[in-house]
Amino acid sequence: MKKKTLLSLLFALPLAAAAQNLQFHYDLGRMMYDDLSTRPRVTTTIDCFKADKWGSTYFFCDLNYMSDGLTDAYWEVSREINFTRNKRFAAHVEYNGGELTGKGGGSYYGNRYQHAVLLGPAWNWASADYSKTFSVQAMYKYYFKNKHRGLHPYNGFQLTEVWGLTFASKLCTFSGFCDLWYDPNVNGKLILLSEPQFWFNLNTIKGLDGFNLSLGSEVEISNNFVFDNEGHNNAFYVIPTIAAKWTF
């Protein structure tokens, strides 16, 4: 277990070095639902988006913790290549995967997540000052075999929407995403996950220039996604966090 934890952290270090922001979330799921009493309490998120003349690159890495240490590391990395000069339409390719270090959070844990690749078109929009952004991606999704959890490879799809809105003289930011994807292993064969975030950006307050700390919350809204204490993921949950973010 120590070796797997070390490998996960070593993978995360170069991501942290390139991060655009670092987030800390205290999860309230345990307090709200009795069947989530083994859910990790704390998550740190390394997050980065970088645009260039050809398109954009995005990645994030979530590290989840119990009281006795790291339980898992999950990451996504994607690349978009623009089709048009106005950068509205792009080709999107993405990888999802991660490492599981133990049984924290439920009996469903094996050695790693079922990894997946995604490919499809994307439509992107932004206001002139980039205070408002919106993106839609319609993707083919392929899951690889996971022998540790007995999961077979299969084909699917995923629809993703991503938004960002900064307002009140940049004091407030409302951002997040919504994913809907096919999974034959759940009721209805569809999983829904949305994580809207709301932030107060303290560096916009007089006297706090350069103090790039934001305080706020993320709300995880999901159906057939969250695993309970028995390893089942066939229920609807709304789980908020208390959060802080430092932007580099």
Side-chain angles (χ1 to χ4, degrees):
M1 180 175 175
K2 290 182 178 179
K3 182 179 179 181
K4 292 175 182 177
T5 301
L6 179 60
L7 289 174
S8 297
L9 291 173
L10 288 176
F11 178 87
L13 285 176
L15 297 183
Q20 190 175 55
N21 66 74
L22 179 63
Q23 304 173 23
F24 296 85
H25 295 268
Y26 184 80
D27 192 285
L28 301 178
R30 285 173 172 240
M31 300 172 58
M32 298 177 62
Y33 299 96
D34 292 338
D35 60 346
L36 299 182
S37 61
T38 58
R39 181 176 170 87
R41 297 177 183 270
V42 176
T43 299
T44 56
T45 298
I46 301 163
D47 187 85
C48 183
F49 174 84
K50 182 175 178 59
D52 54 60
K53 68 177 183 179
W54 299 107
S56 63
T57 301
Y58 173 75
F59 69 79
F60 78 86
C61 178
D62 282 343
L63 301 174
N64 295 311
Y65 309 86
M66 301 284 278
S67 58
D68 59 350
L70 185 71
T71 64
D72 63 286
Y74 174 79
W75 52 86
E76 296 184 3
V77 57
S78 63
R79 174 66 192 179
E80 290 192 356
I81 301 295
N82 295 325
F83 281 151
T84 57
R85 289 185 177 181
N86 62 8
K87 301 181 180 181
R88 291 287 177 86
F89 294 94
H92 182 104
V93 60
E94 181 177 328
Y95 169 79
N96 303 166
E99 179 75 15
L100 298 156
T101 64
K103 289 188 176 181
S107 61
Y108 66 96
Y109 278 91
N111 291 81
R112 55 181 174 268
Y113 290 92
Q114 187 173 17
H115 295 203
V117 293
L118 302 91
L119 176 66
W123 181 83
N124 304 301
W125 176 86
S127 62
D129 60 357
Y130 289 93
S131 63
K132 305 177 185 69
T133 61
F134 185 73
S135 175
V136 179
Q137 301 145 23
M139 297 172 287
Y140 162 77
K141 189 171 188 177
Y142 177 77
Y143 279 94
F144 294 96
K145 179 180 179 180
N146 186 305
K147 65 180 181 179
H148 299 281
R149 295 173 60 192
L151 299 175
H152 299 285
Y154 63 89
N155 301 301
F157 68 87
Q158 180 170 307
L159 179 65
T160 295
E161 301 86 31
V162 183
W163 70 87
L165 174 64
T166 301
F167 58 98
S169 299
K170 299 183 179 181
L171 173 64
C172 301
T173 298
F174 176 60
S175 58
F177 70 88
C178 182
D179 288 339
L180 178 69
W181 72 92
Y182 171 82
D183 188 324
N185 304 301
V186 300
N187 294 338
K189 298 185 178 182
L190 289 174
I191 295 179
L192 173 70
L193 174 64
S194 182
E195 294 185 352
Q197 297 182 342
F198 188 87
W199 300 101
F200 289 103
N201 304 311
L202 301 186
N203 61 1
T204 62
I205 299 174
K206 187 176 180 179
L208 295 179
D209 297 359
F211 187 67
N212 298 329
L213 180 67
S214 300
L215 300 177
S217 177
E218 175 183 274
V219 181
E220 182 180 274
I221 304 168
S222 69
N223 190 54
N224 292 337
F225 177 75
V226 174
F227 286 86
D228 63 19
N229 297 340
E230 303 301 322
H232 302 138
N233 61 326
N234 55 2
F236 178 81
Y237 294 97
V238 177
I239 304 171
T241 71
I242 301 171
K245 176 176 68 172
W246 185 269
T247 302
F248 298 100

